[in-house]
Amino acid sequence: MPRTLYAEPVVRDRAHLNESPLWDDRHQVLRWVDILAGRVHGWDPATGERTLFEAGLPVGAVALRQSGGLVLAVADGFAVLDGEQLTRIADLDSEDGELRMNDAVCDPEGRLLAGTMAYSHEPGRGTLHRLDPDHTVHTALSSVTISNGLDWSLDGATAYYADSPTREVRAYRYHEGRLLDPRPFVTTEHGVPDGLAVDAEGGVWVAVAFSGTVRRYLPDGTLDTVVRVPATVTTSCAFGGPGLDTLYITTATENLTPAQLAEQPLAGGVFACSPGVRGRAANRFRG
């Protein structure tokens, strides 16, 4: 029988589409984005201090950079952020503005994998791109719809990835930046798989959007833990805190009706719980 945990609000924003939570261990702050608003948020749990960077265009995700600062998957490409200075490093074909970036995560070798999707959610229009440290861009997967939820097994040999409308997280053999030989890992019920994170024991935590939960699966696919969140659109999760023992969860108000918004006053905020396991430090982009 899976255990049940309950997440509590820590940042009470009413954001549209919070995503990409990331623990910045150098500065001991949690970072995340509000995608369509183009906002990169920072929050220090120890002091409550907040920071905000307005990118001026949609930002799908944020990742740490080994040389300092951040790397962003922006609407139609990639950029690095040093302080308040945003510098483009690679461009993508956005098909006349019909596509945008969604989730992005660095792999253990310092490459950034980031997926595009159509604003219309049209099936198969997206691509999972790989940005190498030399700033060249390659295709990791093609014909995806809503690219989400990417992290790696403890040995780095398996990549867990979700194309959300399929309702399935798949496990891929990961070799030299390529996702190969997909196999089903888990299929979600009563929601769709969004962002995910692998903990220090190999458990896979999946934010299941529209279910108000984050669920931990063992490497064999067994459901181990359900975290209940008082906001139905759970978008992603990440481990943070000085001991990497806090699970942070982002949520959104996107697609909620006025009645649902009234019923969920905390929707669009950031939540946390103590899951009893530790996470891993985020990989850094080496470019």
Side-chain angles (χ1 to χ4, degrees), residues 38-282:
R39 293 173 177 157
V40 181
H41 292 273
W43 172 63
D44 183 337
T47 66
E49 182 180 355
R50 296 283 304 273
T51 61
L52 175 64
F53 176 77
E54 301 269 7
L57 74 172
V59 179
V62 59
L64 302 178
R65 193 175 176 214
Q66 185 167 294
S67 60
L70 305 170
V71 58
L72 309 182
V74 296
D76 54 355
F78 299 93
V80 294
L81 179 62
D82 288 303
E84 295 291 310
Q85 181 64 43
L86 189 67
T87 305
R88 294 292 289 258
I89 59 173
D91 295 323
L92 298 174
D93 179 8
S94 66
E95 299 185 22
D96 295 324
E98 294 182 4
L99 304 180
R100 69 162 176 85
M101 284 288 196
N102 203 46
D103 212 352
V105 183
C106 285
D107 76 2
E109 287 75 42
R111 299 170 285 228
L112 181 68
L113 282 85
T116 55
M117 59 173 285
Y119 281 97
S120 65
H121 295 192
E122 182 179 342
R125 289 285 300 279
T127 300
L128 180 63
H129 300 279
R130 189 186 77 238
L131 176 69
D132 284 356
D134 63 1
H135 297 177
T136 58
V137 181
H138 309 269
T139 297
L141 286 175
S142 59
S143 301
V144 299
T145 302
I146 301 179
S147 189
N148 261 316
L150 184 62
D151 204 353
W152 285 265
S153 59
L154 300 183
D155 61 4
T158 299
Y160 298 100
Y161 172 78
D163 184 1
S164 291
T166 67
R167 293 182 178 263
E168 184 177 76
V169 178
R170 293 176 180 169
Y172 292 78
R173 181 169 63 87
Y174 194 68
H175 179 68
E176 296 181 350
R178 295 180 295 161
L179 282 75
L180 307 168
D181 307 326
R183 59 179 174 81
F185 176 59
V186 295
T187 301
T188 59
E189 298 179 359
H190 312 299
V192 300
D194 206 314
L196 61 81
V198 176
D199 64 35
E201 298 177 359
V204 184
W205 298 78
V206 182
V208 183
F210 309 109
S211 76
T213 65
V214 175
R215 304 178 189 185
R216 181 184 193 248
Y217 297 91
L218 302 180
D220 65 1
T222 301
L223 178 63
D224 172 75
T225 303
V226 176
V227 182
R228 300 202 175 278
V229 183
T232 54
V233 188
T234 45
T235 58
S236 193
C237 58
F239 286 87
L244 294 174
D245 54 1
T246 299
L247 184 70
Y248 290 105
I249 302 163
T250 50
T251 68
T253 56
E254 186 179 52
N255 297 317
L256 294 182
T257 66
Q260 289 171 322
L261 288 170
E263 293 168 356
Q264 300 177 45
L266 298 173
V270 180
F271 298 80
C273 72
S274 298
V277 295
R278 296 178 185 272
R280 303 179 295 170

